Amino acid sequence: SQELEQSPQSLIVQEGKNLTINCTSSKTLYGLYWYKQKYGEGLIFLMMLQKGGEEKSHEKITAKLDEKKQQSSLHITASQPSHAGIYLCGAAPGTYKYIFGTGTRLKVLA
Amino acid sequence: GAGVSQSPSNKVTEKGKDVELRCDPISGHTALYWYRQSLGQGLEFLIYFQGNSAPDKSGLPSDRFSAERTGGSVSTLTIQRTQQEDSAVYLCASSWRSGGAVAKNIQYFGAGTRLSVL
């Protein structure tokens, strides 16, 4: 079965710093979803990547799916306290069931 | 509605009582999912509904858990004889459909129901 591993598990950065979160799959990805969860809330959809080499940006967050389609990275530029939360990657490996990564807990110090 | 709605947002119950959690998906979404998120843990798939097809109940942890989806819309997750280990956040998500086009697989989540079993 396919598994998604995220790194790092947790991250504390100073406001204004850049950071990268990685999501590595044990098998080829045919669609990769990034979500953000604020503490005590549901998941908010951020971006979806489908094609190898694809890159998408929204405000200061950029996500990329590598050419071999087994890893995705999420990059935040000039982090702000509002970026704090848990970032989760998800994939639907050919069926309806999602698998989710282990999550990366981000804290941004003001 | 504009988004996935779950109720109640918080539920405190005594061990042994039954609880019902409600999910109202986005209008038009045919797929509906229930997940459980325990403290410090990832998302655990519970059950999946797609249109009028038989639900996939493979993730339900025990026969105390059941769910139904009436009229292809609202869903209720029922936990009978609650135990302390049932304490968690229960999340509901819906999507246009599942399988096929990646874009239509995007799941939209409700804010969850935080269940505490004393």
Side-chain angles (χ1 to χ4, degrees):
Chain A
S1 60
Q2 188 168 13
E3 294 182 348
L4 298 177
E5 184 174 338
Q6 287 184 237
S7 63
Q9 289 187 337
S10 64
L11 195 53
I12 302 174
V13 300
Q14 200 69 39
E15 182 178 3
K17 295 294 185 182
N18 302 336
L19 63 105
T20 299
I21 297 168
N22 292 304
C23 174
T24 302
S25 173
S26 57
K27 296 183 180 180
T28 299
L29 292 163
Y30 292 100
L32 192 286
Y33 309 86
W34 281 101
Y35 289 86
K36 177 187 174 184
Q37 184 178 29
K38 289 189 175 181
Y39 300 111
E41 298 182 13
L43 278 67
I44 299 169
F45 170 73
L46 294 176
M47 277 175 277
M48 175 194 73
L49 302 165
Q50 190 172 354
K51 300 176 184 176
E54 185 175 8
E55 183 173 313
K56 286 188 177 177
S57 295
H58 176 67
E59 297 181 344
K60 294 185 178 180
I61 301 176
T62 300
K64 184 174 181 179
L65 184 62
D66 80 355
E67 292 290 342
K68 295 183 179 179
K69 297 176 70 175
Q70 285 200 247
Q71 184 177 62
S72 178
S73 59
L74 186 82
H75 184 77
I76 299 177
T77 303
S79 59
Q80 301 171 352
S82 60
H83 288 128
I86 301 171
Y87 289 82
L88 289 146
C89 59
T95 70
Y96 52 82
K97 280 187 183 178
Y98 261 46
I99 55 170
F100 285 95
T102 47
T104 296
R105 190 177 294 269
L106 172 64
K107 187 171 183 178
V108 180
L109 303 175
Chain B
V4 178
S5 177
Q6 290 189 246
S7 61
S9 55
N10 284 283
K11 177 72 177 178
V12 180
T13 190
E14 294 180 349
K15 178 181 172 182
K17 299 286 188 183
D18 297 351
V19 295
E20 281 190 355
L21 313 179
R22 177 189 168 103
C23 173
D24 199 344
I26 293 173
S27 179
H29 281 191
T30 61
L32 187 147
Y33 304 74
W34 281 99
Y35 296 89
R36 179 168 70 175
Q37 188 176 35
S38 302
L39 188 63
Q41 301 296 314
L43 286 167
E44 177 188 3
F45 166 80
L46 296 179
I47 188 169
Y48 158 79
F49 295 91
Q50 170 62 57
N52 296 320
S53 302
D56 178 346
K57 306 178 182 180
S58 61
L60 295 179
S62 77
D63 58 8
R64 295 186 296 106
F65 288 72
S66 63
E68 62 178 21
R69 188 179 184 191
T70 53
S73 181
V74 172
S75 176
T76 303
L77 177 68
T78 302
I79 308 174
Q80 296 178 309
R81 304 181 302 281
T82 52
Q83 304 294 313
Q84 288 183 332
E85 60 262 29
D86 298 335
S87 296
V89 175
Y90 289 82
L91 292 166
C92 174
S94 69
S95 67
W96 285 108
R97 69 176 196 210
S98 56
V102 174
K104 292 190 181 296
N105 257 347
I106 297 171
Q107 293 188 19
Y108 296 90
F109 285 78
T113 294
R114 184 175 298 278
L115 175 66
S116 299
V117 181
L118 304 178

